[in-house]
Amino acid sequence: MASSLGMQSSPSRTASFLKPSSSLSRCCSRQTSLSFNGASTRISSTNTIKCDISEPLNFGNGKPTIPVLNNQTLPKFLESARVDKTVNRNDTRLKLFSGTANPALSQEVARYMGLELGKINIKRFADGEIYVQLQESVRGCDVFLLQPTCPQANENLMELLIMIDACRRASAKNITAVIPYFGYARADRKTQGRESIAAKLVANLITEAGATRILACDLHSGQSMGYFDIPVDHVYGQPVILDYLASKTICFSDLVVVSPDVGGVARARAFAKKLSDAPLAIVDKRRHGHNVAEVMNLIGDVKGKVAVMVDDMIDTAGTIAKGAALLHEEGAREVYACCTHAVFSPPAIERLSSGLFQEVIITNTIPVAEKNYFPQLTVLSVANLLGETIWRVHDDCSVSSIFQ
């Protein structure tokens, strides 16, 4: 069944607790043109385009806070001379198609790019098979297919493969799979004998289907890029989350970045560096045997501080919730959870809304069902980030310069 598309937009704020010399200052302090007098705005309608609200709106039903972009303003950290001078926004050789996994994000990306989503017919047969037909010509075109492989992962992955095959058979010149969330990314190595490395298998499937390039956001591990035999553009949701955190009136000396496990230390360190080299703490989780309770240790000082826990995804929220409980036991004043991908498998919502977190900050790489909204949830949009990256790929311009 063809999808119904909604539209939201991306956030931007100014830094209030950063040192002027920090690397984040270079990223966020340039974004002052998008501040709305310090007000935190919320979306109450899927067709909201701009926000001129001077006072924050208060929702008591747990609907997430989503800062709204004025559609006439380009985020400063995405601005460049190329945007104004060299981009042909009416380029008919660029085609953008959406799968059914996250149509709202696809619509946001299309709006940022000034394009209409391509016409495509996607439906399921009675036996569950997927049917895809492009309803406009893509011959010789640069085609971008937006489809995260989020739950239901197998359904969405198969739909992406069939979309790629349809474009290849329709003689598209280039086919870029835009995958905001790459499923199976956690199966990136063998941790014990006779295991599958599913991330490599999925990479092979996408390549063999006919994709010529991958655009992914916050892969679970960097080595996953090496599983593809085609170019991979890896973008990060970090600037969007950092920009939102910069709107918080948090004293720099009170801030500490926390990795919820040892495996996420590199990610947390990079995040802390952007926050003017904020202190780093690590939750060390150890299990001494089967059916033996976990031993949680904290490396670093969080007493009296505002702890910002950083991870690439939240699935069942077990690790991050236990880590937050430990931080409170160690004297943390407030705990924020930040992640790019909100998988939110049960019982994640119960754990995240239990009062452990001051705020849970995520992005919309994976759609969040309205039934999963809770008062502490904040959803930020990566649409502008993806849209600008798509333009740069199409124009053969640098992607990495977005994050410098």
Side-chain angles (χ1 to χ4, degrees), residues 72-76 78-89 112 388 391-392 395 397:
Q72 300 299 318
T73 309
L74 186 69
K76 288 291 184 180
L78 296 181
E79 279 186 350
S80 69
R82 183 199 65 79
V83 172
D84 297 325
K85 298 178 181 178
T86 65
V87 171
N88 178 9
R89 299 285 175 172
Y112 169 82
E388 181 63 21
W391 272 123
R392 293 187 181 216
D395 294 337
C397 295

Side-chain angles (χ1 to χ4, degrees), residues 192-258:
Q192 52 188 342
R194 299 175 297 282
E195 279 188 336
S196 165
I197 303 179
K200 172 59 175 172
L201 173 62
V202 172
N204 287 343
L205 289 170
I206 294 173
T207 304
E208 290 301 317
T212 58
R213 180 180 291 271
I214 301 296
L215 198 170
C217 184
D218 274 326
L219 291 170
H220 184 64
S221 55
Q223 67 262 28
S224 296
M225 288 185 284
Y227 295 156
F228 291 92
D229 296 324
I230 55 178
V232 177
D233 289 304
H234 188 203
V235 300
Y236 303 91
Q238 192 181 80
V240 176
I241 297 175
L242 286 167
D243 192 32
Y244 177 75
L245 281 176
S247 70
K248 301 291 183 182
T249 55
I250 304 173
C251 179
F252 170 76
S253 60
D254 291 341
L255 195 68
V256 58
V257 176
V258 181

Side-chain angles (χ1 to χ4, degrees), residues 53-114:
I53 298 173
S54 58
E55 296 295 332
L57 302 178
N58 295 315
F59 288 87
N61 61 356
K63 197 166 186 179
T65 302
I66 310 179
V68 184
L69 175 74
N70 185 319
N71 66 320
Q72 300 299 318
T73 309
L74 186 69
K76 288 291 184 180
F77 82 97
L78 296 181
E79 279 186 350
S80 69
R82 183 199 65 79
V83 172
D84 297 325
K85 298 178 181 178
T86 65
V87 171
N88 178 9
R89 299 285 175 172
N90 297 316
D91 191 343
T92 57
R93 289 294 178 182
L94 192 157
K95 299 286 187 179
L96 195 64
F97 292 93
S98 173
T100 61
N102 196 345
L105 175 59
S106 300
Q107 185 64 59
E108 291 179 57
V109 172
R111 183 169 186 88
Y112 169 82
M113 298 179 68

Side-chain angles (χ1 to χ4, degrees), residues 13-35:
R13 298 290 178 183
T14 55
S16 58
F17 60 83
L18 305 176
K19 294 179 179 178
S21 61
S22 72
S23 57
L24 181 59
S25 295
R26 295 195 298 272
C27 174
C28 289
S29 64
R30 295 198 299 256
Q31 303 179 23
T32 54
S33 66
L34 291 185
S35 297

